[in-house]
Amino acid sequence: MMIFALRHADRVSENVDALSDAGKVRAKLLGRMLAQSGIQNAYCSDAKRTQDTIAPLKALPGVQLTVHKVPIVNDDVDGHVQAIVTALKALPADSTAAVIGHTNTIDGIIKALTNEVIAEIKPNEFDKLFVLSIPAGSPSLTLLRYGAPTP
């Protein structure tokens, strides 16, 4: 299984659940990058910014993508992480999927799937794209950066 895990693209501000202009550009680039990857399932929270990050990929011709919204209920981040991990583990072994999360969810999802601990994703950091390869044996994790660099 191949999983692309990332934080949502650049947001307007901490108090606004929307992508900034830079975030919209980053989301379009992500769509272009992943268009031929074979992703059929994407998992995101109920935050608009996570859904808007994956929307350009879903809109591309020929892409058959189902976006699964997994809400964070009553600030239960651990429950949200576990629901996404459970859904990913239920996919066929040859699947390719994406997870669009938050600074406080991507690390837990990666840890649960690979047993790897990643560096903290900073509040103004939007360019990290983690590629998880989960074969029948030992999983691997690769960090890529995409779009304009963020501090």
Side-chain angles (χ1 to χ4, degrees), residues 1 3 41-44 66-70 79-93 95-99 109 112-113 134:
M1 180 179 303
I3 300 168
N41 292 283
Y43 299 86
C44 59
T66 302
V67 177
H68 306 273
K69 296 176 199 162
V70 181
H80 170 78
V81 166
Q82 189 54 54
I84 289 176
V85 169
T86 299
L88 289 167
K89 286 183 175 181
L91 293 173
S95 296
T96 302
V99 177
I109 292 165
L113 292 170
I134 306 177

Side-chain angles (χ1 to χ4, degrees), residues 26 33 125-129 143-147 149-151:
R26 190 181 306 277
M33 286 176 59
E125 196 169 34
F126 299 98
D127 64 342
K128 287 184 174 180
L129 173 62
L143 168 63
L144 304 175
R145 294 205 180 243
Y146 72 108
T150 58

Side-chain angles (χ1 to χ4, degrees), residues 8 10-11 13 32 37 46 48 57 60 63-64 80 85 88-89 97 102 124 130 138 141 143 146 150:
H8 57 79
D10 317 47
R11 65 191 295 181
S13 72
R32 191 174 128 254
S37 66
D46 50 350
K48 183 177 183 314
L57 174 61
L60 289 173
V63 173
Q64 297 185 357
H80 170 78
V85 169
L88 289 167
K89 286 183 175 181
H102 304 273
N124 59 346
F130 297 92
S138 168
L141 174 66
L143 168 63
Y146 72 108
T150 58

Side-chain angles (χ1 to χ4, degrees), residues 1-4 110 113-116 118 130-143:
M1 180 179 303
M2 179 78 60
I3 300 168
F4 297 95
I110 290 172
L113 292 170
T114 67
N115 206 31
E116 296 276 341
I118 63 169
F130 297 92
V131 182
L132 291 69
S133 175
I134 306 177
S138 168
S140 69
L141 174 66
T142 303
L143 168 63

Side-chain angles (χ1 to χ4, degrees), residues 23-81:
K24 291 173 186 172
V25 169
R26 190 181 306 277
K28 285 180 186 175
L29 175 60
L30 178 71
R32 191 174 128 254
M33 286 176 59
L34 300 182
Q36 296 180 345
S37 66
I39 291 176
Q40 292 184 318
N41 292 283
Y43 299 86
C44 59
S45 73
D46 50 350
K48 183 177 183 314
R49 61 193 178 274
T50 62
Q51 296 165 46
D52 288 351
T53 299
I54 199 68
L57 174 61
K58 184 174 174 58
L60 289 173
V63 173
Q64 297 185 357
L65 178 67
T66 302
V67 177
H68 306 273
K69 296 176 199 162
V70 181
I72 300 175
V73 180
N74 297 324
D75 292 326
D76 182 10
V77 172
D78 291 339
H80 170 78
V81 166

